[in-house]
Amino acid sequence: MTDTPLVSCIMPTHNRRPFVSQAIWYFLRQDYPARELIVLDDGADAIADLVPHDDRIRYVRLDRRMALGAKRNLACELSQGTLIAHWDDDDWMGPHRLSAQVAALLAAEADVCGVRDLLYYRPYAGDAWRFQEPPGAHPGVAGCSLVYHKSAWAAHRFPETRRGEDSAFLRQFPAERVAATDDSSYYIALLHPGNTAARNLADPCWQRRPLEEVTARLALDRDFYVALRNGRGAAPAARPALEPVTVAAPFMVYDGYGSLSEYVVRGMVQAGANVHVTPIRLDPAGLSDEIQAILARSRPEPGAVTLCFSWPRENLAPFHAARDLFIYTMWETSALPAGWAEVINPARAVMVPSRFVARTFRESGVTVPVEVVPHGVDPEVYHYEVRPERPGVTTLIVGTFVPRKNIDIGIAAWKQAFVGDPEARLIIKTRFRVTPYVPDDPRIIFVDTEERTHGIAHWYRQADVLLALGNEGFGLPLVEGMATGLPVIALDSEGQSDVCSEAADCVLPVPPARWQVFDEAPFGRCGVRGIPSVEDVAERLRWVAQHRSEAQALGRAASEWTLAQRNIWAMGPALLAAMECHTRPTRPLRRRYTVWVAGGSSPTGAAGYTAALAAALPAVQVTAQPPDLRSVRLLHIQHEDGAWDEAALTQVVQQARYSGVPVVVTEHQAGPVARPWERDAAVLVALTADDAALLRARWPAKRVELLPLDPDVSRPRTAAAHLALWRTLESSS
């Protein structure tokens, strides 16, 4: 006999429609590979429509009512296995039932194996019982739990009676030929009004047990029995609410923090977070409809996970009660102002826009984790601009007119580079009206306004070169100008040094010529800042003027780098990822479309298909490990035969359904047998018309979609088809 002999599970049934599908599900999910199921049906309500098309399942419709013993004998005659297992249509069976009982039967070298003391469940009464045979009773095992050799049945057939046939069958065997196992972890018998034989629960052999013994075993199957008791089908599970995140920030389109905060919040919402906002300052003029709606519906919860997106000042005080407080901020010199570290250290972590700022924070006494999450630009606002041929060179400076922005250096360098050039222009775009500057050159245009628009791309469009010479925590004008295709002369110091090193071939860097102690109100003395030389800046301006074609090529390369590496829509998800790492306890703060594929890096098959799909859908989470369902918005499994632990996959799919997570499964090969997880998938996807037809025949009531395999799965139409399917499924669930 082989190590895995074929087991024929025999299931006589009669008018048990509420139980049949579940019994077949228990068969499908068994971890024992060599098995078949024979269903004999003589009920008035034929259940053929509940039986999936599967080469391992044989449905026999009887033309007359038969005694239970006769049905068992007929099922054994039809069986092909060397072992036979009773598969009662109304009982619960765990995934390891067959493997456990076959092992016990073969190890004992017995004719028959069964469970000695069985746990019983009354779903309509909601209680649990255990039946224990009296001492010395024969055969001492439950008839519903039998597994036996077919040869043993052939020698001792069932008496053709309507009830008691299993006990009579067992009494034909000597006690030593019946293996009684104490392991009943895989079986619960049900007590209900439709049982073949009534039970007298007043008999001393019946002992009431805590209901928890039943529910612990049923685990993810318990919703079926709850629905059974309530007299209706299982209702879709309602997902628990996602933990809210509060973002405290200024919201003003003409301000650095204020403009970025809108993108941060919108990016978090689009990434699947439950975001509420608390404005530190608010000017609704120019804000998008989406952020206006988020502002209107926000109901911040005291103590919720909180991100304070601002300088750490007195505005942090209201949020110190938050269990998990995070701060996103920055600074522009080599040391923090006095008191900043003390304000920051009660937070779980602080996020900063550049490696320079991270070093400054650590060296200034910040002891909590520091994560680098760069700023970025909106590609819809800042993108490559084709500038017309025009005389002269127009230089642009963007920044607040304060000493640390080095605007005076830029003006002096521009004058030196373009002395005597009547066609040269300099545009200074600033705000706050903090300096009463009056241009002393008619070629200089000074703009000191607060523009209530998303970005100031129109000013970059008018320029041929940008001077980004300020001391920055990051350098937003730097990447804005680069995104539009401007060659940028950038101070390679402080926060801008990250971009100068990462995009070295796309900018014209200027090193600091000297260092100046920073001492400005209200911050006081804190560190030093870099100062470029007028001559270095002027020399690079002259190069731009004399090498227009090369400068334009530099700008085009800068635009490509910036749009790929500094997209503002990546910032919200990146902040959420950092916050998720540092919450205590660690937990997800967002739900994402998740594609699960078995491990492997093959460029072909399901792994290659998924890699190409992920490249076309960068916001989608791809995992080779069982996902944390708390963070999953919708789960799409890429299934390929031989690559999966089917029992583990089944458990995850069942858990997803129980948790209210929609599941889609793409079957890269739809085989002749039903997979246990197919039952709980909301949608089955086939890659060929033949596979789609096979799945529809197997599961007539299930949604089956055909998404033909595209030779180039990364094409937008393929990605769009997946997104459309996911969104349709979400809207209908």
Side-chain angles (χ1 to χ4, degrees):
M1 183 177 294
T2 65
D3 291 336
T4 53
L6 178 65
V7 179
S8 297
C9 303
I10 60 173
M11 190 174 90
T13 187
H14 177 83
N15 292 345
R16 292 272 182 83
R17 176 171 286 271
F19 295 100
V20 167
S21 290
Q22 196 73 2
I24 294 174
W25 153 249
Y26 295 151
F27 168 80
L28 291 176
R29 74 174 182 180
Q30 290 297 300
D31 60 14
Y32 186 86
R35 64 191 188 277
E36 67 172 356
L37 177 66
I38 300 169
V39 182
L40 271 64
D41 176 19
D42 63 357
D45 179 14
I47 49 85
D49 59 304
L50 302 180
V51 181
H53 290 227
D54 187 313
D55 289 353
R56 300 167 301 177
I57 302 176
R58 181 175 180 184
Y59 173 74
V60 179
R61 175 63 181 164
L62 302 176
D63 57 4
R64 58 187 175 84
R65 179 78 184 272
M66 294 179 65
L68 183 54
K71 288 168 74 175
R72 292 202 188 278
N73 286 329
L74 177 56
C76 291
E77 291 170 3
L78 295 173
S79 68
Q80 301 180 57
T82 57
L83 301 181
I84 295 171
H86 286 191
W87 205 264
D88 281 16
D89 58 10
D90 56 349
D91 290 344
W92 175 86
M93 284 161 273
H96 62 298
R97 185 220 162 169
L98 289 180
S99 56
Q101 285 202 262
V102 169
L105 176 67
L106 298 182
E109 298 183 351
D111 293 321
V112 185
C113 173
V115 176
R116 186 193 314 275
D117 298 325
L118 205 60
L119 187 64
Y120 286 79
Y121 173 43
R122 288 201 302 172
Y124 298 106
D127 55 16
W129 298 80
R130 184 175 291 278
F131 181 80
Q132 293 182 305
E133 293 277 5
H138 179 71
V141 296
C144 60
S145 69
L146 297 185
V147 176
Y148 45 88
H149 292 275
K150 185 174 182 178
S151 57
W153 162 79
H156 305 282
R157 294 169 65 93
F158 288 93
E160 297 193 356
T161 58
R162 292 197 175 277
R163 57 179 60 90
E165 82 297 337
D166 47 6
S167 297
F169 171 73
L170 282 168
R171 283 193 292 270
Q172 300 178 75
F173 295 91
E176 63 272 15
R177 301 303 302 166
V178 179
T181 176
D182 293 325
D183 179 12
S184 66
S185 63
Y186 45 76
Y187 209 106
I188 300 175
L190 259 67
L191 299 175
H192 58 88
N195 282 130
T196 303
R199 267 72 168 185
N200 178 17
L201 298 180
D203 188 299
C205 292
W206 289 92
Q207 299 177 359
R208 186 184 287 273
R209 302 299 302 164
L211 184 60
E212 289 75 15
E213 289 187 20
V214 166
T215 57
R217 289 191 196 176
L218 293 181
L220 298 175
D221 298 317
R222 61 185 180 271
D223 59 336
F224 167 77
Y225 297 99
V226 170
L228 187 71
R229 185 167 70 179
N230 293 337
R232 60 178 183 272
R239 299 207 69 179
L242 191 64
E243 184 168 1
V245 175
T246 296
V247 177
F251 292 92
M252 302 174 295
V253 296
Y254 47 82
D255 174 72
Y257 280 106
S259 61
L260 289 170
S261 63
E262 174 175 348
Y263 286 105
V264 165
V265 169
R266 291 171 63 190
M268 285 180 165
V269 170
Q270 292 170 20
N274 177 17
V275 181
H276 299 262
V277 297
T278 294
I280 294 174
R281 288 179 294 155
L282 174 63
D283 184 344
L287 295 179
S288 67
D289 291 342
E290 183 180 358
I291 199 68
Q292 298 268 25
I294 294 170
L295 283 162
R297 68 158 174 76
S298 288
R299 300 293 184 272
E301 295 183 10
V305 175
T306 298
L307 171 65
C308 190
F309 192 89
S310 176
W311 276 6
R313 296 176 293 191
E314 65 281 354
N315 49 39
L316 279 181
F319 307 108
H320 283 154
R323 181 175 55 166
D324 294 292
L325 173 63
F326 298 89
I327 300 169
Y328 189 96
T329 192
M330 66 197 79
W331 182 243
E332 301 172 350
T333 69
S334 63
L336 291 181
W340 273 37
E342 291 76 11
V343 172
I344 291 169
N345 282 330
R348 291 286 189 203
V350 58
M351 281 79 83
V352 299
S354 65
R355 295 188 298 275
F356 160 77
V357 178
R359 287 192 301 271
T360 297
F361 275 48
R362 294 187 185 106
E363 292 170 1
S364 299
V366 172
T367 57
V368 296
V370 181
E371 301 279 357
V372 177
V373 179
H375 294 170
V377 296
D378 182 353
E380 292 292 320
V381 178
Y382 296 103
H383 48 77
Y384 184 76
E385 302 276 2
V386 177
R387 292 166 174 83
E389 292 289 336
R390 51 196 173 200
V393 173
T394 299
T395 304
L396 175 65
I397 299 175
V398 176
T400 309
F401 214 125
V402 294
R404 67 181 183 276
K405 300 303 181 183
N406 292 321
I407 293 178
D408 56 337
I409 300 291
I411 295 172
W414 176 84
K415 288 181 177 180
Q416 186 179 114
F418 297 107
V419 61
D421 184 350
E423 294 179 328
R425 295 287 183 273
L426 173 62
I427 301 173
I428 303 171
K429 175 63 181 78
T430 187
R431 58 178 288 252
F432 288 133
R433 298 179 176 87
V434 295
T435 299
Y437 173 74
V438 177
D440 57 0
D441 188 317
R443 300 174 299 168
I444 298 176
I445 302 169
F446 182 65
V447 183
D448 192 355
T449 59
E450 293 177 344
E451 300 189 26
R452 289 166 170 79
T453 59
H454 280 95
I456 54 170
H458 51 286
W459 289 111
Y460 293 104
R461 192 177 302 126
Q462 297 180 40
D464 301 301
V465 61
L466 174 70
L467 293 182
L469 306 177
N471 304 113
E472 302 282 355
F474 173 73
L476 196 54
L478 168 61
V479 293
E480 290 174 348
M482 291 173 67
T484 68
L486 282 178
V488 181
I489 300 168
L491 174 61
D492 188 0
S493 180
E494 289 85 40
Q496 291 189 162
S497 59
D498 283 18
V499 174
C500 289
S501 63
E502 293 175 28
D505 297 330
C506 302
V507 296
L508 296 168
V510 178
R514 59 189 176 88
W515 300 94
Q516 181 170 316
V517 173
F518 180 85
D519 190 355
E520 292 181 13
F523 308 106
R525 190 183 182 94
C526 44
V528 296
R529 62 185 183 90
I531 308 292
S533 80
V534 171
E535 290 74 17
D536 284 347
V537 177
E539 184 271 330
R540 284 156 180 75
L541 282 171
R542 284 191 290 268
W543 182 90
V544 171
Q546 295 163 7
H547 301 81
R548 300 295 290 272
S549 295
E550 293 93 327
Q552 289 173 1
L554 184 73
R556 181 178 289 277
S559 178
E560 292 174 356
W561 182 89
T562 304
L563 296 177
Q565 303 297 326
R566 294 294 188 268
N567 189 318
I568 188 61
W569 293 111
M571 190 176 181
L575 287 170
L576 285 170
M579 293 163 67
E580 287 172 337
C581 290
H582 297 291
T583 52
R584 292 294 179 270
T586 302
R587 56 199 184 277
L589 301 175
R590 56 185 163 159
R591 293 188 179 126
R592 292 187 282 173
Y593 292 129
T594 301
V595 179
W596 184 18
V597 65
S601 57
S602 170
T604 60
Y609 182 93
T610 303
L613 185 64
L617 297 168
V620 172
Q621 173 180 229
V622 176
T623 179
Q625 303 299 324
D628 182 343
L629 293 173
R630 297 174 300 169
S631 68
V632 175
R633 181 174 175 180
L634 176 145
L635 179 61
H636 194 142
I637 297 165
Q638 299 290 336
H639 183 271
E640 191 170 33
D641 283 342
W644 291 86
D645 178 337
E646 297 289 331
L649 175 61
T650 300
Q651 185 176 24
V652 172
V653 174
Q654 191 181 12
Q655 177 70 62
R657 178 184 61 82
Y658 185 79
S659 302
V661 177
V663 177
V664 179
V665 183
T666 293
E667 300 199 34
H668 286 251
Q669 302 91 27
V673 299
R675 328 297 180 107
W677 38 261
E678 288 177 342
R679 184 198 74 157
D680 286 332
V683 179
L684 298 175
V685 174
L687 300 178
T688 68
D690 287 346
D691 279 356
L694 187 153
L695 292 173
R696 290 184 180 119
R698 181 182 297 158
W699 304 101
K702 186 170 291 294
R703 180 177 174 182
V704 175
E705 294 286 340
L706 173 61
L707 291 180
L709 183 61
D710 192 325
D712 183 4
V713 70
S714 63
R715 290 176 183 168
R717 68 185 181 191
T718 305
H722 282 78
L723 281 174
L725 171 62
W726 298 341
R727 288 168 179 164
T728 301
L729 182 57
E730 282 187 301
S731 64
S732 62
S733 61

